[in-house]
Amino acid sequence: MDDFEMLLDESLQDPEFKKEWEDNQTEYEIMRMLVMARAEKNLTQKELSELSGVRQSNISRIERGMCIPNIPTLEAIARGLGKKLKIEFV
C-alpha cells in the first residue's frame, strides 16, 4: 500500500470526506492515475504535453481536478505515456 492509499484509508473514516470521495471518485481516480503514470515515466507535464499533443495547461488542470478530460484527450495522454486507455464497467 502506497502513502496515498494509506492516507485515503485514514481519511475515509470521516463521513463527510467519505461522501465527497464517493461522489467524485471517478474524477479523483483519473487525477491520481495520470499523476502516477507521469511520475512512473519521470516526465514533466511539459514533456508529456510534447509526447501527447495535449497542452501542458490542460494536463495541469486535469491533475488538479479543474477539468474532466474527454476520451480523445485521455487516449492522447495514454499514447504519450506509451500506454493504452482501458475503460471498463465494474
Side-chain angles (χ1 to χ4, degrees):
M1 183 178 285
D2 64 18
D3 290 343
F4 175 81
E5 290 169 340
M6 288 186 342
L7 179 60
L8 178 59
D9 284 345
E10 182 180 309
S11 297
L12 287 172
Q13 302 306 311
D14 175 359
E16 287 182 38
F17 179 89
K18 184 174 183 174
K19 181 176 180 349
E20 176 74 17
W21 175 263
E22 290 171 349
D23 290 348
N24 298 290
Q25 186 173 2
T26 301
E27 291 88 349
Y28 294 143
E29 287 297 318
I30 290 170
M31 293 164 43
R32 180 176 173 271
M33 287 187 297
L34 174 53
V35 171
M36 291 185 71
R38 187 170 60 77
E40 178 183 288
K41 296 284 186 174
N42 293 316
L43 295 173
T44 65
Q45 289 178 351
K46 182 178 179 184
E47 291 167 332
L48 178 55
S49 173
E50 292 167 358
L51 292 169
S52 66
V54 175
R55 291 185 307 192
Q56 183 273 326
S57 60
N58 289 348
I59 292 170
S60 175
R61 280 194 286 275
I62 295 166
E63 288 186 359
R64 290 182 292 128
M66 302 303 292
C67 73
I68 300 170
N70 60 30
I71 292 173
T73 298
L74 288 173
E75 288 174 330
I77 291 170
R79 277 193 305 277
L81 291 165
K83 298 180 178 286
K84 290 187 128 196
L85 178 64
K86 178 181 175 183
I87 299 173
E88 60 185 64
F89 292 101
V90 294

